[in-house]
Every structure is written in structure tokens, then in C-alpha cells.
Amino acid sequence: MREIEFRGYDGAEWVYGTAVNYDKYTNTWYLLEHGGPDDDWIKVSRVGQYTGLKDKHGTKIFEGDIVQIKGHPTNDYIPIDGNHEVYYNEHMVLCVSGWQLFLQLPLVTVVGNKFDQPELLNN
């Protein structure tokens, strides 16, 4: 079974927790912080769930991360090398630019996320 974990930005730093809650009336996300005092719900933005996958260096991959693929064997005739956003497609398959993420893992390195470094996607 995969680990369930979320991250969100609290305005100063990324915080990690075990659950999120969305208040549709105030358009606000809340995260239950790991090891927080009394299981406090913290107001956050930029929410993403841990995918259950790690890059080739053991770094956890979250929704919204930007990963770099380098050295793909088909790159000469099907360009895939470069930076890609991690997302779920309409079939709930984890993807990077339409490619299934789990098939690319030996070539993947997390280089940032779409919130803090959107310029990394301009390659």
C-alpha cells in the first residue's frame, strides 16, 4: 500500500501532512500537518498529493512537481528529454507530458515544482 501524504504552501514554507480539506464556501484549502500540535489544520495553498513514486535519487514525487527526463532511448526520433510537469490525466494515470510517469522513473529527477519555478517548463 502506498503512503498517503500531501503538501501545501502556508505562505512561508512547504508543509506536509496526512489529509487535506477544501472549504468550498471560502475557497480555502486546509492541511493536517505531520506532527503538528494537537493535529492542527493549517490554511495552505498550492496543494499536491504524493504520487507514491520516487525519482532516481530517492526524492518523493508530488503532483505539480517538475521532473527532468534525460537520456531517453527514443529521444532521437520521439523527443522526450527535458522538463515536464507531473499530473494525473483524465484516466487518473500519472503522466509527464502525456507519457506514463512510472515507465520513465529510471531517467527522472525532480528539479522543482510548477508553483515556485514555472520557468523550468519553458524548455
Side-chain angles (χ1 to χ4, degrees):
M1 181 179 291
R2 79 178 175 104
E3 176 183 0
I4 304 298
E5 182 176 15
F6 297 89
R7 72 173 178 198
Y9 190 73
D10 71 358
E13 64 183 348
W14 288 97
V15 291
Y16 297 83
T18 55
V20 291
N21 186 27
Y22 178 71
D23 182 340
K24 67 181 178 182
Y25 300 106
T26 62
N27 193 30
T28 306
W29 284 97
Y30 295 92
L31 180 134
L32 184 59
E33 185 179 20
H34 284 312
D38 301 321
D39 294 330
D40 283 342
W41 287 91
I42 299 170
K43 184 177 176 180
V44 295
S45 61
R46 308 177 191 173
V47 174
Q49 185 175 6
Y50 173 47
T51 64
L53 302 173
K54 295 181 180 180
D55 73 3
K56 65 183 182 180
H57 302 292
T59 302
K60 290 181 177 181
I61 302 174
F62 285 82
E63 289 177 274
D65 275 349
I66 298 171
V67 297
Q68 181 179 69
I69 297 175
K70 200 172 194 179
H72 196 279
T74 67
N75 198 62
D76 290 340
Y77 50 94
I78 301 174
I80 188 171
D81 282 2
N83 294 344
H84 307 274
E85 178 185 342
V86 175
Y87 64 94
Y88 285 96
N89 70 10
E90 65 275 8
H91 304 290
M92 293 305 295
V93 175
L94 273 167
C95 292
V96 288
S97 298
W99 300 90
Q100 292 182 4
L101 177 60
F102 76 94
L103 295 173
Q104 315 309 322
L105 285 179
L107 308 170
V108 166
T109 302
V110 175
V111 293
N113 66 68
K114 71 178 184 177
F115 306 108
D116 295 336
Q117 299 96 1
E119 70 278 1
L120 292 176
L121 290 172
N122 297 330
N123 62 354

